[in-house]
Amino acid sequence: MPRLRRFAYALTGSGDAGDDLVQTACERALRHADQFRPGTRMDSWMFRIMQNLWLDDRRRQKVRGTRVDPERTELSDDGQSARRLDDRLTLARIRDAVDRLPDDQRAVLVLVAIEGLNYRETAEVLDLPMGTVMSRLSRARSRLLDIMDTPPEEARAWAR
């Protein structure tokens, strides 16, 4: 469940919307349990369901014009890895940088770098060729480096 929530948060940019996505994905998986193929990874199947639900929702939002306010989102690690101010600032910068990635790059980056899926598994979850996964991951990493190399105004103020 924590892995599903992390992936959902990365896709939606919101804790509440991420929790809703996880709940909807679990409901869908239970309703369609007969479609699960024994011998496949349950987490990959769930990631795929979540990705499809999220894409469907994005399409609906595009028509409606609804947006989530990224300033109102919170990422909680229950204080385990962000106890010091520097850690919290770094975490906020990374979260902001990941949120600024294009959706397709963000999904690949989260599945590989955070969820630990290999390229083949990620390709299966997202229904992409493996070369596309590798390309998107490479572009996401390059973009993150560019974003992180340019410190935000708050970081400049602290550096003085």
Side-chain angles (χ1 to χ4, degrees), residues 6-143:
R6 278 193 306 264
F7 184 57
Y9 176 82
L11 291 176
T12 64
S14 164
D16 291 337
D19 287 343
D20 290 345
L21 180 59
V22 170
Q23 180 176 349
T24 304
C26 289
E27 290 171 0
R28 169 106 18 118
L30 289 171
R31 259 196 328 270
H32 300 284
D34 59 317
Q35 294 178 6
F36 178 72
R37 286 179 274 145
T40 61
R41 290 182 52 166
M42 176 66 77
D43 60 347
S44 293
W45 187 57
M46 290 299 299
F47 288 142
R48 177 67 182 208
I49 291 171
M50 289 174 61
Q51 173 80 4
N52 288 338
L53 288 168
W54 177 73
L55 288 173
D56 290 346
D57 189 55
R58 294 280 295 187
R59 289 181 193 114
R60 276 191 298 275
Q61 286 180 5
K62 202 173 201 178
V63 171
R64 286 189 241 141
T66 306
R67 274 192 72 169
V68 173
D69 181 9
E71 298 298 321
R72 298 183 63 208
T73 62
E74 290 292 327
L75 176 63
S76 173
D77 63 358
D78 295 325
Q80 296 197 14
S81 66
R83 297 209 186 276
R84 296 188 346 240
L85 179 60
D86 290 344
D87 292 340
R88 287 189 205 128
L89 289 173
T90 300
L91 182 60
R93 285 188 64 216
I94 292 169
R95 183 180 64 217
D96 179 59
V98 170
D99 287 346
R100 291 171 55 189
L101 291 174
D103 296 336
D104 56 348
Q105 292 177 17
R106 184 179 341 134
V108 170
L109 179 74
V110 169
L111 288 174
V112 172
I114 297 175
E115 297 307 326
L117 271 61
N118 62 38
Y119 294 169
R120 182 185 50 76
E121 294 165 338
T122 300
E124 289 173 7
V125 167
L126 300 177
D127 194 26
L128 296 170
M130 197 155 39
T132 302
V133 168
M134 293 178 353
S135 173
R136 287 182 183 176
L137 183 61
S138 175
R139 284 183 283 149
R141 287 174 173 162
S142 292
R143 180 72 179 125

Side-chain angles (χ1 to χ4, degrees), residues 86 89 151-160:
D86 290 344
L89 289 173
E153 291 302 317
E154 300 87 38
R156 288 188 192 127
W158 279 87
R160 290 181 193 157

